[in-house]
Amino acid sequence: MGLLKRMRTGDRSHPAEQYLNQGDHLHALVPAQGGLHPFSMLVIGVAALAGIVLTVDLPWVQVSLISTTVFATAAVLTMSRYRLLALTDADIVVMRTRALRPAKPVELLDRIERTAPFDIRGSAWGQIVVGDEKLWVHRRYHGHLEEADARLAAAPRGMRAASSSAYRAARAKKKVRNVGRRHR
């Protein structure tokens, strides 16, 4: 059974549930990636392979190409930000995930009110803006984003703000309580 079917039937066993409010109705979970374009690793690898093949007689060039490729791969991996977006009726819940477990969130980053539709730019990996962060979403999840846009257009204006205002009020109280505490 799919994840959303399990969640809609009342099975609240997914790790993302701990970051949702009690009254939230989850429509979709969308993994996203911030940073460089996801195909940048492919371009780096193909260019390095072509350079290594073309420089068979020059071992010092091959060693420098391999070193550069390893450095570029490490740089791309460390610059990537992995997110899981939970699309609810009125909000987008943004959670941080790890690279090797993109469906298991480890931290709640933000809860953003849906006021504008997603402007998906791109084909295989579409870029969207969530809050102030640009994220890449695979084509497989573009349908979920388009459904969320359709629900946003169909929802009355007052219904959209109810959930977010309650969240912001609770968040403000928590910030006031935690003033002066240090996080470790």
Side-chain angles (χ1 to χ4, degrees), residues 85 92-94 110-118 128-135:
L85 307 175
I92 304 168
V93 181
V94 181
D110 203 1
R111 187 176 187 97
I112 301 167
E113 181 182 354
R114 285 288 316 267
T115 56
F118 295 111
I128 61 172
V129 177
V130 177
D132 59 350
E133 188 173 32
K134 291 181 181 178
L135 298 173

Side-chain angles (χ1 to χ4, degrees), residues 92-168:
I92 304 168
V93 181
V94 181
M95 297 165 274
R96 184 177 66 86
T97 63
R98 293 190 173 97
L100 299 177
R101 307 232 11 223
K104 185 178 181 193
V106 294
E107 177 185 8
L108 175 67
L109 294 177
D110 203 1
R111 187 176 187 97
I112 301 167
E113 181 182 354
R114 285 288 316 267
T115 56
F118 295 111
D119 181 25
I120 304 171
R121 288 177 273 138
S123 56
W125 285 90
Q127 190 176 40
I128 61 172
V129 177
V130 177
D132 59 350
E133 188 173 32
K134 291 181 181 178
L135 298 173
W136 297 98
V137 177
H138 192 268
R139 172 186 13 209
R140 165 183 334 151
Y141 300 101
H142 288 185
H144 294 304
L145 298 176
E146 290 165 359
E147 289 174 18
D149 287 345
R151 278 192 308 278
L152 179 68
R157 185 77 180 145
M159 292 293 288
R160 288 187 235 162
S163 177
S164 288
S165 60
Y167 172 77
R168 284 194 299 272

